[in-house]
Amino acid sequence: MFGADRFSETENFGATYQQIGGNFLSEEAVNYIIRNLCNTMFADYGNPDYYENFPSVSSYLETMGQTKDLPCVEISLLEQVFAMHEAGVISEPYVSILHQLRQTHEKLNESFAYPDLTIENLQELVENDGRQT
C-alpha cells in the first residue's frame, strides 16, 4: 500500500505471528515460510499466465511444502501476517486524505481484500497520524 510494504530481509514475520496469537510455529519457521511465500509470489508476478488470475495468498500457502500439512487456523494466521506486512505504513500526505475519506466514505472497507484487518489498520493509522503502534 502506497509503495511501502514491509517485506525486507530485516522484517520479523514471526513476531507479527505471535502478536496475533500464533504459537504453533516458531519465529524462525514463520520467517522462513513468509520469505519463501514472497519469493514465489514475486517470481510469479512477472508470469503472463497470471496477469488475469493471480493466485491468492492462501492458495500459495496451501501448496507450499512447509505448510501443506498445517491446520487451517495456522494457514489463516500466516495469511494475516502477510496482509499486515503488505499493508505497510501510510506516510504523509496520505494521512490527511484518509482523514477526509473516513468522514465521507462509510463503506470504504468493501473495496479491500481483508476488510476488517485493513480498516482496523487504517483507523489506527489515521488516529495516530500515520504512525503504527
Side-chain angles (χ1 to χ4, degrees):
M1 177 179 272
F2 304 103
D5 61 37
R6 297 176 295 136
F7 289 114
S8 74
E9 289 297 318
T10 61
E11 290 297 325
N12 187 344
F13 306 109
T16 304
Y17 167 80
Q18 291 173 349
Q19 287 173 349
I20 62 172
N23 60 15
F24 185 77
L25 298 168
S26 69
E27 269 190 30
E28 295 80 16
V30 173
N31 285 328
Y32 182 80
I33 290 166
I34 297 295
R35 283 194 172 75
N36 280 346
L37 171 66
C38 288
N39 290 338
T40 303
M41 290 181 73
F42 293 156
D44 287 349
Y45 188 73
N47 184 339
D49 292 339
Y50 295 122
Y51 286 174
E52 299 296 325
N53 191 21
F54 198 80
S56 66
V57 171
S58 62
S59 69
Y60 277 99
L61 287 169
E62 290 166 359
T63 60
M64 291 174 63
Q66 308 91 335
T67 58
K68 66 179 179 171
D69 294 327
L70 287 177
C72 291
V73 68
E74 292 302 314
I75 297 293
S76 179
L77 286 171
L78 292 167
E79 187 176 14
Q80 288 178 15
V81 169
F82 184 91
M84 292 172 76
H85 283 263
E86 184 176 36
V89 176
I90 301 171
S91 58
E92 290 295 338
Y94 302 109
V95 171
S96 61
I97 293 169
L98 289 172
H99 277 288
Q100 294 170 8
L101 286 172
R102 185 174 181 201
Q103 300 301 315
T104 59
H105 292 76
E106 292 178 19
K107 294 188 178 191
L108 182 65
N109 63 337
E110 291 178 4
S111 65
F112 294 105
Y114 304 96
D116 296 335
L117 172 67
T118 305
I119 290 303
E120 179 181 296
N121 188 30
L122 288 175
Q123 287 174 344
E124 178 183 329
L125 292 168
V126 167
E127 290 165 5
N128 293 308
D129 290 327
R131 296 181 307 274
Q132 280 191 317
T133 56

